[in-house]
């Protein structure tokens, strides 16, 4: 009887879903009139909103159609994604506002510079962004209904809203991810929609649609701005300085709907308290609107506003109000959940409702929010009046310094050249290799956030990282409280330092390994079939000092003649933004150019494991580093066919963060390594590599005292406090070891978000990177973990037959903005044989 009842229920659910008829009236008000000249989504894309998952090409088609048919909408194409998809922005406002849109924008920006301006009659600017995670697609699908309503509604209140608002409407923050997920959901949809969570429709294949082309989580890139989609939206943000920015997401299917504020104790201290108060007032409009349609929701119980690299937090340090929406996800077209049947149209309706309640709040709170923004910048100016300047740079690496300056320019931060070289606190700042940033400027608070150092916290739990300090992540020297007299000309057009070859040589060429793009140059040289060697010791040639890792390219016995080699190296130097020196003699102070301490470098053939249990973000960061930064091939070997691949053609295999690997694959790796292959493992892969005897490591663990006086309710907080969500630590380095070639300082800042602590070797030379006795530079770590991390090692290398196994406990390529540690991976790739 129970089986029959269950079968009947499932049958009823299936029939109800297959028979469900959802049209536009399910989302938008039924008691209004709409302009018939404005096409509905179905008239353009061929299906109702929520009937299928919108693909990005159809989304673009509809937005273009709206812009063509409505005088309330203009369309901007702000660039292209890695896959060539347009990054669109709709500006939605009243026709009379469009007629003077440049004047409105100028006045809006002027008001942030002058607190005395009367803004009571000015429109409020709202940025609405949808589905930055591509498989959280209810947002972009809701954008169809919201854009139609704003274009077509003839209701007087809508017309008034548009007169009082400029809406920056971003229908897809992640075009490539949205397209990838829509393809999956649509190709696995049945005519009779099956809500069983076990159905293939609800379990995407690796790497899933959350990320962009290179598998980045783009909702962590608002502050670092490393990706093209981020650059487009940040340019729009600073162009307009919106008062409110909304970020529409999804969460687990068994959840309801979340809107901010989040957990108050986890708000970054640099965010004004008024920001959170206004967010809470805006929340009342969301509650009212969701109550009206009978949707459940919650607030202030999860998520936080700490890391300024998220879409809902970045606005908070820029005088705006960032708001996160999280909708329980159907992950397809309908799913059974603990709250009952969750349909895709239902998730879209909640997102649409929140988008419209935001605009209602903006309309009602317009003057209050406009004045808050004025007050934010007035207080920032007051804070900055007595400030001096900060300086950052690397006297041997102009490119790395350039990229940090590039981030600051993208955020409309004023930077200057140095007037001349100077030294402070033992750090030398060289003109052309360093930049100065006066703190007495509009974005004073944003600059403070970028270089924020914090080791004390109100809360011990973090939704994301607890530290991102840019001078550490970019690996540059830094000084604050520097006299403004050190400043030279303001940098108006930031440019790479020009690379070249000093002179044509009949002996050879020396390329220092310090510059960020040296690996790109070396790869180009080896790919040309040229011979190159690496110096294992420091030396001087013609009075110029050269560090460990200097690359020597001899003129003799090359595929190119002397003149061809010179011209080729000039091209390489120019493209890699570095200096190559032609030498007139092989006689040096220290090792000579003919010494055996110059070791031959073989051209690497690199593969990387992907799929299966490999973490997509970690793998994508490595792929992006090779492909976009260094123009190097990396072959992505999927675990589904790994056992069938002939590995003999590869010199190096990278194993990104992963929890396990099948025994047959492990044995295959062992055999390959014994025959001369190099394995580079990251993060959780270190555990199983140790367990499977690919490497022999000794781990240390913190001693957690017995848990007392912790309630059942707070038990998760006790465990969460032991997590290192993302902090920065100091390590001392042996610069003579090949893993550290190219670094000029004896210490390095490392990102860490694991609790994997490797004990050091008794022989100090086997600990080329070792945490100091007080390593925390910035971020949160529990007292228990802080005791253990002291003097442990984040890197180990061991021989396996003729090969090498190298492991990093943490990510050296984190989110593409840890320029300071990218070279560690490149050193492992190029110089592994010397370790």
């Amino acid at each position: 009887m129970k089986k029959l009842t269950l079968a009947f229920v499932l049958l009823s659910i299936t029939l109800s879903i297959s028979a469900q008829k959802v049209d536009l009236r399910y989302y938008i008000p039924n008691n209004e009139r709409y302009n018939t000249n404005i096409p509905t989504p179905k008239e353009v894309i061929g299906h109702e909103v929520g009937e299928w998952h919108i693909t990005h090409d159809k989304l673009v088609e509809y937005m273009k159609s709206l812009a063509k048919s409505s005088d309330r909408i203009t369309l901007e194409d702000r660039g292209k994604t890695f896959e060539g998809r347009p990054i669109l922005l709709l500006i939605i406002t009243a026709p009379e506002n469009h007629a003077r849109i440049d004047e409105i924008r100028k006045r809006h920006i002027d008001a942030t510079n002058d607190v005395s301006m009367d803004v009571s009659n000015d429109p409020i600017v709202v940025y609405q962004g949808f589905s930055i995670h591509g498989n959280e697609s209810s947002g972009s699908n809701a954008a169809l209904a919201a854009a139609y309503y704003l274009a077509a509604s003839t209701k007087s209140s809508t017309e008034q809203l548009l007169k009082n608002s400029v809406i920056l409407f971003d229908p897809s923050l992640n075009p490539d991810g949205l397209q990838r997920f829509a393809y999956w959901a649509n190709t696995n949809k049945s005519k009779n929609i099956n809500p069983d969570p076990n159905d293939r429709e609800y379990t995407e294949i690796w790497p899933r649609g959350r990320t962009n082309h290179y598998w980045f989580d783009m909702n962590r890139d608002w502050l670092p701005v490393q990706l093209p989609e981020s650059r487009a939206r940040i340019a729009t943000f600073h162009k307009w300085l919106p008062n409110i920015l909304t970020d529409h997401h999804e969460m687990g299917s068994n959840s309801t709907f979340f809107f901010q504020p989040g957990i108050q104790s986890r708000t970054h201290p640099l965010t004004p308290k008024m920001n959170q108060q206004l967010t809470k007032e805006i929340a009342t409009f969301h509650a009212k609107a969701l109550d009206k349609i009978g949707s459940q929701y919650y607030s202030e119980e999860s998520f936080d506003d700490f890391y300024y690299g998220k879409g809902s937090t970045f606005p908070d340090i820029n005088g705006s109000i960032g708001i996160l929406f999280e909708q329980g996800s159907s992950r397809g077209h309908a799913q059974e959940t603990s709250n009952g049947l969750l349909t895709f149209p239902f998730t879209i309706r909640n997102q649409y409702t929140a988008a419209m309640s935001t605009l209602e709040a903006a309309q009602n709170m317009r003057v209050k929010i406009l004045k808050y923004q004025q007050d934010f910048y007035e207080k920032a100016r007051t804070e900055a009046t007595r400030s001096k300047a900060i300086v950052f740079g690397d006297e041997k690496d102009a490119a790395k310094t350039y990229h940090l300056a590039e981030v600051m320019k993208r955020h409309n931060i004023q930077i200057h050249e140095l007037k001349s070289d100077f030294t402070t606190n033992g750090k030398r700042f060289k003109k052309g290799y360093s930049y100065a940033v006066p703190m007495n400027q509009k974005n004073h608070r944003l600059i403070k956030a970028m270089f924020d150092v914090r080791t004390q916290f109100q809360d011990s739990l973090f939704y994301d990282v607890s530290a991102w300090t840019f001078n550490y992540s970019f690996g540059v020297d830094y000084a604050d409280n520097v006299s403004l007299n050190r400043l030279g000309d303001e940098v108006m057009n930031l440019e790479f330092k020009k690379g070249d070859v000093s002179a044509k040589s009949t002996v050879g060429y020396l390329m220092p390994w310090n510059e960020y793009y040296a690996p790109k140059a070396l790869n180009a040289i080896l790919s040309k079939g040229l011979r190159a060697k690496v110096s294992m010791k420091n030396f001087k040639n013609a009075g110029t000092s050269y560090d460990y890792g200097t690359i020597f390219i001899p003129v003799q016995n090359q595929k190119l003649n002397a003149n061809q080699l010179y011209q080729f190296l000039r091209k390489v130097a120019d493209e890699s933004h570095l200096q190559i020196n032609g030498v007139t003699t092989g006689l040096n102070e220290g090792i000579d150019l003919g010494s055996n301490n110059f070791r031959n470098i073989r051209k690497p053939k690199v593969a990387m494991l992907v799929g299966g249990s490999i973490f997509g973000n970690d793998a994508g960061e490595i792929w992006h580093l090779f492909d976009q930064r260094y123009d190097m091939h990396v072959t992505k070997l999927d675990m589904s066919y790994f056992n069938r691949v002939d590995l003999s053609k590869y010199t190096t295999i990278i194993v990104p963060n992963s929890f396990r690997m099948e025994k047959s694959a492990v044995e295959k790796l062992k055999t390959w390594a014994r025959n001369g292959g190099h394995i580079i493992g990251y993060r959780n892969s270190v555990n199983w590599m140790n367990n499977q005897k690919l490497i022999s490591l000794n781990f240390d663990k913190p001693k957690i005292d017995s848990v007392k006086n912790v309630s059942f309710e707070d038990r998760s907080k006790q465990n969460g406090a032991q997590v290192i969500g993302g902090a920065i630590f100091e390590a001392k380095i042996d610069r003579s070891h090949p893993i550290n070639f190219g670094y000029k300082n004896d210490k390095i800042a490392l990102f860490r978000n694991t609790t994997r602590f490797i004990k050091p070797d008794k022989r100090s030379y086997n600990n080329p990177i070792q945490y100091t006795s007080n390593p925390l530079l910035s971020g949160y770590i529990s007292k228990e973990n802080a005791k253990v991390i002291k003097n442990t090692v984040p890197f180990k290398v061991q021989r396996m037959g003729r090969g090498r196994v190298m492991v990093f406990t943490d990510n050296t390529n984190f989110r593409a903005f840890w320029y300071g540690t990218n070279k560690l991976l490149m050193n492992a790739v190029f110089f592994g044989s010397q370790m």
Side-chain angles (χ1 to χ4, degrees), residues 178-194:
L178 182 72
Q179 187 78 11
R180 191 185 315 137
F181 177 69
Y183 167 80
W184 177 264
N186 291 338
T187 55
N188 285 284
K189 177 188 175 185
S190 300
K191 181 185 74 171
N192 297 292
I193 296 172
N194 185 353

Side-chain angles (χ1 to χ4, degrees), residues 732-751:
K732 57 185 179 181
I733 63 174
D734 174 1
R735 294 195 301 116
S736 72
H737 194 285
I739 197 63
N740 296 316
F741 282 177
Y743 288 97
K744 72 178 184 65
N745 296 331
D746 293 327
K747 292 181 179 177
I748 189 172
L750 298 170
F751 174 79

Side-chain angles (χ1 to χ4, degrees), residues 23-159:
D23 62 23
L24 199 55
R25 290 173 296 178
Y26 178 67
Y27 310 105
I28 67 175
N30 294 327
N31 57 350
E32 296 184 26
R33 291 186 176 182
Y34 297 92
N35 185 343
T36 57
N37 293 320
I38 306 299
T40 65
K42 184 178 181 180
E43 289 171 341
V44 177
I45 65 176
H47 62 80
E48 295 287 0
V49 175
E51 183 180 357
W52 295 89
H53 281 256
I54 190 68
T55 57
H56 187 260
D57 55 322
K58 287 188 175 183
L59 183 69
V60 169
E61 185 182 0
Y62 183 64
M63 296 305 163
K64 287 182 176 179
S65 179
L66 279 184
K68 185 177 180 181
S69 59
S70 173
D71 58 1
R72 298 175 177 177
I73 297 177
T74 58
L75 189 70
E76 290 183 16
D77 186 343
R78 298 173 294 169
K80 297 291 186 287
T81 68
F82 283 118
E83 294 179 12
R85 293 189 174 85
I87 305 170
L88 296 186
L89 180 76
L90 282 68
I91 299 180
I92 306 176
T93 190
E96 55 266 40
N97 287 344
H98 274 299
R100 60 185 191 94
I101 197 70
D102 290 337
E103 176 191 337
I104 289 173
R105 187 186 69 81
K106 182 179 183 303
R107 180 174 171 80
H108 181 75
I109 298 299
D110 287 346
T112 65
N113 299 320
D114 183 358
V115 74
S116 68
M117 278 184 62
D118 180 8
V119 295
S120 58
N121 294 314
D122 291 354
I124 191 170
V125 181
V126 181
Y127 192 120
Q128 295 188 293
F130 301 89
S131 300
I132 198 167
H133 296 145
N135 61 1
E136 299 174 7
S137 61
S138 58
S140 286
N141 283 268
L144 293 165
Y148 170 77
Y149 178 82
L150 293 170
S153 172
T154 61
K155 193 174 181 181
S156 60
S157 60
T158 303
E159 293 174 346

Side-chain angles (χ1 to χ4, degrees), residues 13 17 193-199 201-203 252-254 329-344:
I13 291 170
I17 299 171
I193 296 172
N194 185 353
D196 184 346
N198 294 319
D199 189 85
E201 180 180 352
Y202 310 111
T203 306
S253 300
N254 291 320
S329 179
S330 65
R331 275 294 186 268
H333 291 86
Q335 252 196 91
E336 268 298 305
T337 74
S338 61
N339 293 311
L341 183 65
L342 179 63
T343 68
F344 185 42

Side-chain angles (χ1 to χ4, degrees), residues 541-655:
N541 181 285
T544 300
S545 297
Y546 292 92
D547 290 343
Y548 303 104
T550 296
I551 305 301
F552 172 49
I553 306 102
V555 172
Q556 299 302 316
N557 296 324
Q558 298 281 20
K559 292 177 62 176
L560 303 179
N561 63 37
N563 187 59
Q564 290 172 330
L565 178 62
Y566 171 63
Q567 295 299 333
F568 174 72
L569 291 179
R570 289 195 68 189
K571 179 174 181 290
V572 168
D574 178 64
E575 292 176 349
S576 300
H577 319 293
L578 47 74
Q579 183 71 26
I580 298 176
N581 295 324
V583 298
T584 59
T585 179
L587 186 64
N588 296 330
E589 293 181 45
I591 59 171
D592 296 326
L593 296 185
S595 167
N596 286 334
N597 280 302
F598 280 92
R599 306 282 175 78
N600 286 319
I601 309 168
R602 63 174 177 175
K603 182 184 181 305
K605 177 71 174 176
V606 184
M608 176 176 65
L609 303 186
V610 300
S613 70
I614 303 291
F615 280 51
N617 290 148
D618 296 62
E621 288 157 359
I622 294 168
W623 177 23
H624 175 268
L625 180 69
F626 275 77
D627 196 34
Q628 288 291 325
R629 300 267 173 84
Y630 294 136
D631 288 339
M632 293 175 63
H633 290 145
V634 57
T635 299
K636 302 181 292 296
L637 299 178
D638 198 281
M639 294 309 301
S640 63
Y641 59 78
F642 174 74
N643 282 330
R644 301 195 301 271
V645 175
D646 178 7
L647 300 182
S648 62
K649 65 192 295 185
Y650 303 108
T651 62
T652 306
I653 293 177
I654 301 172
V655 185

Side-chain angles (χ1 to χ4, degrees), residues 679 681 695-698 758-763 766-769 793-798 805-809 835:
I679 301 171
I695 193 168
S696 178
L697 305 171
N698 293 313
I758 302 176
K759 293 180 180 180
D761 195 278
K762 293 179 180 179
R763 291 160 288 195
N766 285 334
N767 305 314
I769 309 175
V793 295
F795 169 81
K796 291 290 285 185
V797 56
Q798 293 175 7
V805 178
M806 295 164 271
V807 295
F808 294 95
T809 60
M835 299 182 195

